[in-house]
Coordinates of all heavy atoms in Angstrom, one line a residue:
M1 N -15.3 21.4 21.4 CA -14.4 21.0 20.4 C -14.8 19.7 19.7 O -15.1 18.8 20.4 CB -13.0 20.9 20.9 CG -12.0 20.5 19.8 SD -10.3 20.4 20.4 CE -9.9 22.0 20.9
Q2 N -14.9 19.7 18.4 CA -15.3 18.5 17.7 C -14.2 17.5 17.7 O -13.0 17.8 17.5 CB -15.7 18.8 16.3 CG -16.2 17.7 15.5 CD -16.6 18.1 14.1 OE1 -16.2 19.1 13.6 NE2 -17.3 17.2 13.4
K3 N -14.5 16.2 18.0 CA -13.5 15.1 17.9 C -13.5 14.6 16.5 O -14.5 14.6 15.8 CB -13.9 14.0 18.8 CG -13.7 14.3 20.3 CD -14.0 13.1 21.1 CE -14.0 13.5 22.6 NZ -14.4 12.4 23.5
I4 N -12.3 14.1 16.1 CA -12.1 13.6 14.8 C -11.6 12.2 14.9 O -10.6 11.9 15.6 CB -11.1 14.4 13.9 CG1 -11.7 15.8 13.8 CG2 -10.9 13.8 12.6 CD1 -10.7 16.8 13.2
L5 N -12.2 11.2 14.3 CA -11.8 9.8 14.3 C -11.2 9.5 12.9 O -11.9 9.7 11.9 CB -12.9 8.9 14.6 CG -12.6 7.4 14.5 CD1 -11.6 7.0 15.6 CD2 -13.9 6.6 14.6
I6 N -9.9 9.1 12.9 CA -9.3 8.8 11.6 C -9.0 7.3 11.6 O -8.3 6.8 12.5 CB -8.0 9.6 11.4 CG1 -8.3 11.1 11.4 CG2 -7.3 9.2 10.2 CD1 -7.1 12.0 11.4
M7 N -9.4 6.7 10.6 CA -9.1 5.2 10.4 C -8.3 5.2 9.1 O -8.8 5.6 8.0 CB -10.4 4.4 10.3 CG -11.2 4.3 11.5 SD -12.6 3.3 11.3 CE -13.4 3.5 12.8
A8 N -7.1 4.7 9.2 CA -6.3 4.7 8.0 C -5.2 3.6 8.1 O -5.0 3.0 9.2 CB -5.6 6.0 7.8
Y9 N -4.6 3.3 7.0 CA -3.5 2.2 7.1 C -2.3 2.7 7.9 O -2.1 3.9 8.2 CB -3.0 2.0 5.6 CG -4.0 1.2 4.8 CD1 -4.7 1.9 3.8 CD2 -4.3 -0.1 5.0 CE1 -5.6 1.3 3.0 CE2 -5.2 -0.8 4.2 CZ -5.9 -0.1 3.2 OH -6.8 -0.7 2.5
M10 N -1.6 1.7 8.3 CA -0.3 1.9 9.1 C 0.6 2.8 8.3 O 0.7 2.7 7.1 CB 0.3 0.6 9.5 CG -0.5 -0.3 10.4 SD 0.2 -1.9 10.6 CE -0.1 -2.7 9.0
G11 N 1.3 3.7 9.0 CA 2.3 4.5 8.4 C 1.8 5.7 7.6 O 2.5 6.4 6.9
T12 N 0.5 6.1 7.9 CA -0.1 7.2 7.1 C -0.1 8.5 7.9 O -0.6 9.5 7.5 CB -1.5 6.9 6.7 OG1 -2.3 6.5 7.8 CG2 -1.5 5.7 5.7
G13 N 0.4 8.5 9.2 CA 0.5 9.7 10.0 C -0.6 9.9 11.1 O -0.7 11.0 11.6
K14 N -1.3 8.8 11.4 CA -2.3 9.0 12.5 C -1.7 9.4 13.8 O -2.2 10.3 14.5 CB -3.1 7.7 12.7 CG -3.9 7.2 11.4 CD -4.6 5.9 11.7 CE -3.7 4.8 12.2 NZ -2.8 4.3 11.2
T15 N -0.6 8.7 14.2 CA 0.1 9.0 15.5 C 0.6 10.4 15.5 O 0.6 11.2 16.5 CB 1.2 8.0 15.8 OG1 0.6 6.7 15.8 CG2 1.8 8.2 17.1
Y16 N 1.2 10.9 14.3 CA 1.7 12.2 14.2 C 0.6 13.2 14.5 O 0.7 14.2 15.2 CB 2.3 12.4 12.8 CG 2.6 13.9 12.6 CD1 3.9 14.4 13.0 CD2 1.7 14.7 11.9 CE1 4.2 15.7 12.8 CE2 2.0 16.1 11.7 CZ 3.3 16.6 12.2 OH 3.6 17.9 12.0
L17 N -0.6 13.0 13.9 CA -1.7 13.9 14.1 C -2.1 14.0 15.5 O -2.4 15.0 16.1 CB -2.9 13.5 13.2 CG -2.7 13.7 11.7 CD1 -3.9 13.1 10.9 CD2 -2.6 15.2 11.4
E18 N -2.2 12.8 16.2 CA -2.6 12.8 17.6 C -1.6 13.5 18.5 O -2.1 14.3 19.4 CB -2.7 11.3 18.1 CG -3.1 11.3 19.6 CD -3.1 9.9 20.2 OE1 -2.1 9.2 19.9 OE2 -4.1 9.6 20.9
K19 N -0.4 13.5 18.2 CA 0.6 14.1 19.0 C 0.6 15.7 18.8 O 1.1 16.4 19.6 CB 2.0 13.6 18.7 CG 2.2 12.2 19.2 CD 3.6 11.7 18.8 CE 3.8 10.3 19.4 NZ 5.1 9.7 19.0
N20 N 0.0 16.1 17.6 CA 0.1 17.5 17.3 C -1.3 18.3 17.4 O -1.3 19.5 17.3 CB 0.7 17.7 15.9 CG 2.2 17.4 15.9 OD1 3.0 18.2 16.3 ND2 2.5 16.2 15.5
Y21 N -2.4 17.5 17.6 CA -3.7 18.1 17.7 C -4.4 17.5 18.8 O -4.5 16.2 18.9 CB -4.5 17.9 16.4 CG -3.8 18.6 15.2 CD1 -2.9 17.9 14.4 CD2 -4.1 19.9 14.9 CE1 -2.3 18.5 13.3 CE2 -3.5 20.5 13.8 CZ -2.6 19.8 13.0 OH -2.0 20.4 12.0
E22 N -5.0 18.3 19.7 CA -5.6 17.7 20.9 C -7.0 17.1 20.7 O -7.5 16.3 21.5 CB -5.8 18.8 22.0 CG -6.7 20.0 21.6 CD -6.7 21.0 22.7 OE1 -5.7 21.5 23.1 OE2 -7.8 21.3 23.1
N23 N -7.6 17.3 19.5 CA -8.9 16.8 19.3 C -8.9 15.5 18.4 O -9.9 15.0 18.0 CB -9.9 17.8 18.6 CG -9.4 18.2 17.3 OD1 -8.2 18.3 17.0 ND2 -10.4 18.5 16.4
I24 N -7.7 15.0 18.2 CA -7.5 13.7 17.4 C -7.0 12.6 18.3 O -6.1 12.8 19.1 CB -6.6 14.0 16.3 CG1 -7.2 15.0 15.3 CG2 -6.2 12.6 15.6 CD1 -6.3 15.3 14.1
V25 N -7.7 11.5 18.2 CA -7.3 10.3 19.0 C -6.8 9.2 18.0 O -7.5 8.9 17.1 CB -8.5 9.8 19.8 CG1 -8.2 8.5 20.5 CG2 -9.0 10.8 20.7
D26 N -5.6 8.7 18.3 CA -5.1 7.6 17.6 C -5.7 6.3 18.2 O -5.2 5.8 19.2 CB -3.5 7.6 17.7 CG -2.9 6.6 16.8 OD1 -3.6 5.8 16.1 OD2 -1.6 6.5 16.8
F27 N -6.7 5.8 17.6 CA -7.5 4.7 18.1 C -7.1 3.4 17.3 O -7.6 3.1 16.3 CB -9.0 5.0 17.9 CG -9.9 4.1 18.7 CD1 -9.8 4.0 20.0 CD2 -10.8 3.4 18.0 CE1 -10.7 3.2 20.7 CE2 -11.7 2.5 18.6 CZ -11.6 2.5 20.0
D28 N -6.1 2.7 17.8 CA -5.5 1.6 17.1 C -6.4 0.4 17.2 O -7.0 0.1 18.3 CB -4.2 1.3 17.7 CG -3.3 0.5 16.8 OD1 -3.7 -0.6 16.4 OD2 -2.3 0.9 16.4
F29 N -6.6 -0.4 16.2 CA -7.5 -1.5 16.1 C -6.9 -2.8 16.7 O -7.6 -3.7 17.1 CB -7.9 -1.8 14.7 CG -6.8 -2.4 13.9 CD1 -6.7 -3.8 13.7 CD2 -5.9 -1.6 13.2 CE1 -5.6 -4.3 13.0 CE2 -4.8 -2.1 12.5 CZ -4.7 -3.5 12.4
Q30 N -5.6 -2.8 16.9 CA -4.8 -4.0 17.3 C -5.4 -4.6 18.6 O -5.5 -5.8 18.7 CB -3.3 -3.7 17.5 CG -2.6 -3.2 16.3 CD -2.1 -4.3 15.4 OE1 -1.9 -5.5 15.9 NE2 -1.8 -4.1 14.2
D31 N -5.7 -3.8 19.6 CA -6.2 -4.3 20.9 C -7.6 -4.8 20.8 O -8.1 -5.5 21.7 CB -6.1 -3.2 22.0 CG -4.7 -3.0 22.4 OD1 -3.9 -4.0 22.4 OD2 -4.4 -1.9 22.9
Y32 N -8.3 -4.6 19.7 CA -9.6 -5.1 19.5 C -9.6 -6.3 18.6 O -10.5 -7.2 18.7 CB -10.5 -4.0 18.9 CG -10.6 -2.8 19.9 CD1 -9.7 -1.8 19.8 CD2 -11.6 -2.8 20.9 CE1 -9.8 -0.7 20.8 CE2 -11.7 -1.8 21.8 CZ -10.7 -0.7 21.7 OH -10.8 0.3 22.7
K33 N -8.7 -6.3 17.6 CA -8.7 -7.4 16.7 C -8.0 -8.7 17.2 O -8.4 -9.8 16.9 CB -7.9 -7.0 15.4 CG -7.9 -8.0 14.3 CD -7.3 -7.5 13.0 CE -7.4 -8.7 12.0 NZ -7.0 -8.2 10.7
Y34 N -7.0 -8.5 18.1 CA -6.3 -9.6 18.7 C -6.4 -9.7 20.2 O -6.6 -8.8 20.9 CB -4.8 -9.4 18.3 CG -4.5 -9.3 16.9 CD1 -4.1 -8.1 16.3 CD2 -4.8 -10.4 16.0 CE1 -3.8 -8.0 15.0 CE2 -4.5 -10.3 14.7 CZ -4.1 -9.1 14.1 OH -3.8 -9.0 12.8
I35 N -6.3 -11.0 20.6 CA -6.2 -11.3 22.0 C -4.8 -11.8 22.2 O -4.3 -12.7 21.6 CB -7.2 -12.4 22.4 CG1 -8.6 -12.0 22.2 CG2 -7.0 -12.8 23.9 CD1 -9.7 -13.0 22.3
Y36 N -4.0 -11.0 23.0 CA -2.6 -11.3 23.2 C -2.4 -12.2 24.3 O -3.1 -12.2 25.3 CB -1.9 -10.0 23.5 CG -1.8 -9.1 22.3 CD1 -2.7 -8.1 22.0 CD2 -0.8 -9.3 21.3 CE1 -2.7 -7.3 20.9 CE2 -0.7 -8.5 20.2 CZ -1.6 -7.5 20.0 OH -1.6 -6.7 18.9
D37 N -1.3 -13.0 24.2 CA -0.9 -14.0 25.2 C -0.6 -13.2 26.5 O -0.1 -12.0 26.4 CB 0.3 -14.7 24.8 CG 0.7 -15.8 25.7 OD1 0.1 -16.9 25.7 OD2 1.7 -15.5 26.5
E38 N -0.9 -13.8 27.6 CA -0.6 -13.1 28.9 C 0.8 -12.7 29.1 O 1.1 -11.7 29.7 CB -1.0 -14.1 30.1 CG -1.1 -13.5 31.4 CD -2.2 -12.5 31.6 OE1 -3.3 -12.8 31.1 OE2 -2.0 -11.5 32.3
S39 N 1.7 -13.4 28.5 CA 3.2 -13.1 28.7 C 3.6 -11.8 28.0 O 4.6 -11.2 28.4 CB 4.0 -14.2 28.1 OG 3.8 -14.3 26.7
I40 N 2.8 -11.2 27.1 CA 3.1 -10.0 26.4 C 2.1 -8.9 26.6 O 2.3 -7.8 26.1 CB 3.5 -10.2 24.9 CG1 2.2 -10.7 24.1 CG2 4.7 -11.1 24.7 CD1 2.4 -10.6 22.6
R41 N 1.0 -9.2 27.2 CA -0.1 -8.3 27.3 C 0.3 -7.0 28.0 O -0.3 -5.9 27.7 CB -1.3 -8.9 28.1 CG -2.6 -8.2 27.9 CD -3.8 -9.0 28.4 NE -3.9 -10.2 27.6 CZ -4.5 -11.3 28.1 NH1 -4.9 -11.4 29.3 NH2 -4.6 -12.4 27.3
H42 N 1.2 -7.0 28.9 CA 1.7 -5.8 29.6 C 2.6 -4.9 28.8 O 2.8 -3.7 29.2 CB 2.5 -6.2 30.9 CG 3.8 -6.9 30.6 ND1 3.8 -8.2 30.1 CD2 5.0 -6.4 30.6 CE1 5.1 -8.5 29.9 NE2 5.8 -7.4 30.2
L43 N 3.1 -5.4 27.7 CA 4.0 -4.6 26.8 C 3.2 -3.5 26.1 O 2.0 -3.7 25.7 CB 4.7 -5.5 25.8 CG 5.6 -6.5 26.4 CD1 6.2 -7.4 25.3 CD2 6.8 -5.8 27.1
P44 N 3.9 -2.4 25.8 CA 3.2 -1.3 24.9 C 2.9 -1.9 23.5 O 3.5 -2.9 23.1 CB 4.3 -0.3 24.7 CG 5.3 -0.5 25.8 CD 5.2 -2.0 26.1
L45 N 1.9 -1.4 22.9 CA 1.4 -1.9 21.6 C 2.5 -2.1 20.6 O 2.5 -3.1 19.9 CB 0.2 -1.0 21.1 CG -0.3 -1.4 19.8 CD1 -0.9 -2.8 19.8 CD2 -1.4 -0.5 19.3
E46 N 3.3 -1.1 20.5 CA 4.4 -1.2 19.4 C 5.3 -2.4 19.6 O 5.8 -2.9 18.7 CB 5.2 0.1 19.4 CG 4.5 1.3 18.9 CD 3.9 1.2 17.5 OE1 4.7 0.6 16.7 OE2 2.8 1.6 17.2
K47 N 5.5 -2.8 20.9 CA 6.3 -4.0 21.1 C 5.5 -5.3 20.9 O 6.1 -6.3 20.6 CB 6.8 -4.0 22.6 CG 7.6 -2.8 22.9 CD 9.0 -3.2 23.4 CE 9.7 -1.9 23.7 NZ 11.1 -2.0 23.4
R48 N 4.2 -5.3 21.0 CA 3.4 -6.5 20.8 C 3.1 -6.7 19.3 O 2.8 -7.9 19.0 CB 2.0 -6.3 21.5 CG 2.1 -6.5 23.0 CD 0.8 -6.4 23.7 NE 0.5 -5.0 23.9 CZ -0.7 -4.4 23.7 NH1 -1.7 -5.1 23.3 NH2 -0.9 -3.1 24.0
K49 N 3.1 -5.7 18.5 CA 2.6 -5.9 17.1 C 3.3 -7.0 16.4 O 2.7 -7.7 15.6 CB 2.8 -4.5 16.4 CG 1.8 -3.5 16.7 CD 2.0 -2.3 15.9 CE 0.9 -1.2 16.1 NZ 1.1 0.0 15.3
G50 N 4.6 -7.2 16.5 CA 5.3 -8.2 15.8 C 5.2 -9.6 16.3 O 5.7 -10.6 15.7
S51 N 4.5 -9.8 17.4 CA 4.4 -11.1 18.1 C 3.2 -11.9 17.6 O 2.3 -12.3 18.3 CB 4.3 -10.9 19.6 OG 5.4 -10.2 20.1
V52 N 3.2 -12.2 16.3 CA 2.1 -12.9 15.7 C 1.9 -14.3 16.2 O 0.7 -14.8 16.2 CB 2.3 -12.9 14.1 CG1 2.2 -11.6 13.5 CG2 3.5 -13.7 13.7
N53 N 2.9 -14.9 16.8 CA 2.7 -16.3 17.3 C 2.1 -16.2 18.8 O 1.8 -17.3 19.3 CB 4.0 -17.0 17.3 CG 5.1 -16.3 18.1 OD1 5.2 -15.1 18.2 ND2 6.0 -17.1 18.6
L54 N 2.1 -15.0 19.3 CA 1.5 -14.9 20.7 C 0.2 -14.1 20.7 O -0.1 -13.5 21.7 CB 2.6 -14.1 21.6 CG 3.9 -14.9 21.8 CD1 4.9 -14.0 22.6 CD2 3.6 -16.2 22.6
R55 N -0.5 -14.2 19.7 CA -1.8 -13.6 19.6 C -2.8 -14.4 18.8 O -2.4 -15.3 18.0 CB -1.8 -12.2 19.0 CG -1.4 -12.2 17.5 CD -1.3 -10.8 17.0 NE -1.2 -10.8 15.5 CZ -0.7 -9.9 14.8 NH1 -0.3 -8.8 15.3 NH2 -0.6 -10.0 13.5
K56 N -4.1 -14.2 19.0 CA -5.1 -14.9 18.3 C -6.2 -13.9 17.9 O -6.3 -12.9 18.5 CB -5.7 -16.1 19.0 CG -6.4 -15.8 20.3 CD -6.9 -17.0 21.0 CE -7.6 -16.6 22.3 NZ -8.1 -17.8 23.0
E57 N -6.9 -14.2 16.9 CA -8.0 -13.3 16.4 C -9.1 -13.3 17.5 O -9.5 -14.3 18.0 CB -8.6 -13.9 15.1 CG -7.6 -13.9 13.9 CD -7.5 -12.5 13.2 OE1 -8.5 -11.8 13.3 OE2 -6.5 -12.3 12.6
N58 N -9.6 -12.1 17.7 CA -10.7 -11.9 18.6 C -12.0 -12.1 17.8 O -12.2 -11.4 16.9 CB -10.6 -10.4 19.2 CG -11.6 -10.2 20.3 OD1 -12.6 -10.9 20.4 ND2 -11.4 -9.2 21.1
P59 N -12.8 -13.0 18.3 CA -14.1 -13.3 17.5 C -15.1 -12.1 17.6 O -16.0 -12.1 16.8 CB -14.6 -14.5 18.2 CG -14.0 -14.5 19.6 CD -12.7 -13.9 19.4
L60 N -14.9 -11.2 18.5 CA -15.8 -10.0 18.6 C -15.4 -8.9 17.7 O -16.2 -7.9 17.5 CB -15.7 -9.5 20.1 CG -16.1 -10.5 21.1 CD1 -16.0 -9.8 22.5 CD2 -17.5 -11.0 20.9
Y61 N -14.3 -9.0 17.0 CA -13.8 -8.0 16.1 C -14.6 -8.1 14.7 O -14.8 -9.2 14.3 CB -12.3 -8.1 15.8 CG -11.7 -7.0 14.9 CD1 -11.4 -5.8 15.4 CD2 -11.5 -7.3 13.6 CE1 -10.9 -4.8 14.5 CE2 -11.0 -6.4 12.7 CZ -10.7 -5.1 13.2 OH -10.2 -4.2 12.4
P62 N -15.0 -7.1 14.1 CA -14.8 -5.7 14.3 C -15.9 -5.0 15.1 O -15.8 -3.8 15.4 CB -14.8 -5.1 12.9 CG -15.8 -6.0 12.1 CD -15.7 -7.3 12.8
D63 N -16.9 -5.7 15.5 CA -18.0 -5.1 16.3 C -17.5 -4.4 17.5 O -18.0 -3.3 17.9 CB -19.1 -6.1 16.6 CG -19.8 -6.6 15.4 OD1 -19.8 -5.9 14.3 OD2 -20.3 -7.7 15.4
N64 N -16.6 -5.0 18.3 CA -16.1 -4.4 19.5 C -15.3 -3.1 19.2 O -15.4 -2.2 19.9 CB -15.2 -5.4 20.2 CG -13.9 -5.8 19.5 OD1 -13.9 -5.7 18.2 ND2 -13.0 -6.4 20.2
F65 N -14.6 -3.1 18.1 CA -13.8 -1.9 17.7 C -14.8 -0.8 17.4 O -14.6 0.4 17.8 CB -12.9 -2.2 16.5 CG -12.2 -1.1 16.0 CD1 -11.1 -0.5 16.6 CD2 -12.6 -0.5 14.8 CE1 -10.5 0.6 16.1 CE2 -12.0 0.6 14.2 CZ -10.9 1.1 14.9
L66 N -15.7 -1.0 16.5 CA -16.6 0.0 16.1 C -17.5 0.6 17.2 O -17.7 1.8 17.3 CB -17.5 -0.5 14.9 CG -16.8 -0.9 13.7 CD1 -17.7 -1.6 12.7 CD2 -16.1 0.3 13.0
S67 N -18.0 -0.3 18.1 CA -18.8 0.2 19.2 C -18.0 1.1 20.1 O -18.5 2.1 20.6 CB -19.5 -0.9 19.9 OG -18.6 -1.7 20.6
E68 N -16.7 0.7 20.4 CA -15.9 1.5 21.2 C -15.5 2.8 20.6 O -15.5 3.9 21.2 CB -14.6 0.7 21.5 CG -13.7 1.4 22.6 CD -14.3 1.3 24.0 OE1 -15.1 0.4 24.3 OE2 -13.9 2.1 24.8
A69 N -15.3 2.8 19.3 CA -15.0 4.1 18.5 C -16.2 5.0 18.6 O -16.0 6.2 18.8 CB -14.7 3.7 17.1
I70 N -17.4 4.5 18.4 CA -18.6 5.3 18.5 C -18.8 5.9 19.9 O -19.1 7.1 20.1 CB -19.8 4.5 18.0 CG1 -19.8 4.3 16.5 CG2 -21.1 5.3 18.4 CD1 -20.7 3.2 16.0
D71 N -18.5 5.1 20.9 CA -18.6 5.6 22.3 C -17.6 6.7 22.6 O -17.9 7.7 23.2 CB -18.4 4.4 23.3 CG -19.6 3.5 23.4 OD1 -20.7 3.8 22.8 OD2 -19.4 2.4 23.9
L72 N -16.4 6.5 22.1 CA -15.4 7.5 22.2 C -15.8 8.8 21.6 O -15.5 9.9 22.2 CB -14.1 7.0 21.6 CG -12.8 7.9 21.8 CD1 -12.5 8.1 23.2 CD2 -11.7 7.3 21.0
L73 N -16.3 8.8 20.4 CA -16.8 10.0 19.7 C -17.9 10.7 20.5 O -18.0 11.9 20.4 CB -17.2 9.7 18.3 CG -16.0 9.4 17.4 CD1 -16.6 8.9 16.0 CD2 -15.1 10.6 17.2
K74 N -18.7 10.0 21.2 CA -19.9 10.5 21.9 C -19.4 11.2 23.2 O -20.1 12.1 23.7 CB -20.9 9.5 22.2 CG -21.7 9.0 21.0 CD -22.6 7.9 21.4 CE -23.4 7.3 20.2 NZ -24.3 6.2 20.6
K75 N -18.3 10.8 23.8 CA -17.8 11.4 25.0 C -17.3 12.8 24.7 O -16.7 13.1 23.7 CB -16.7 10.6 25.6 CG -17.2 9.3 26.2 CD -16.0 8.5 26.7 CE -16.5 7.1 27.2 NZ -15.3 6.3 27.6
R76 N -17.5 13.7 25.7 CA -17.1 15.1 25.6 C -15.9 15.3 26.5 O -15.7 14.8 27.4 CB -18.2 16.0 25.9 CG -19.3 15.9 24.8 CD -19.7 17.3 24.4 NE -20.6 17.1 23.3 CZ -20.3 17.7 22.1 NH1 -19.3 18.4 21.9 NH2 -21.1 17.5 21.1

């Protein structure tokens, strides 16, 4: 089965697609773009998103995101 990687703006239906099709992965950039404070790192992504004062930019972004996305697509 072919994997499909969708990169799109928030609110465009990526999560909906992942929940309804087994070959689609909702690959969120947030965990690659930001380094979260230890106090919120354990929380689900949706709870961390609004904590802008408890995160900093990851200097490895976007290279870390793109390489992980490519690796994910190569896996069967």
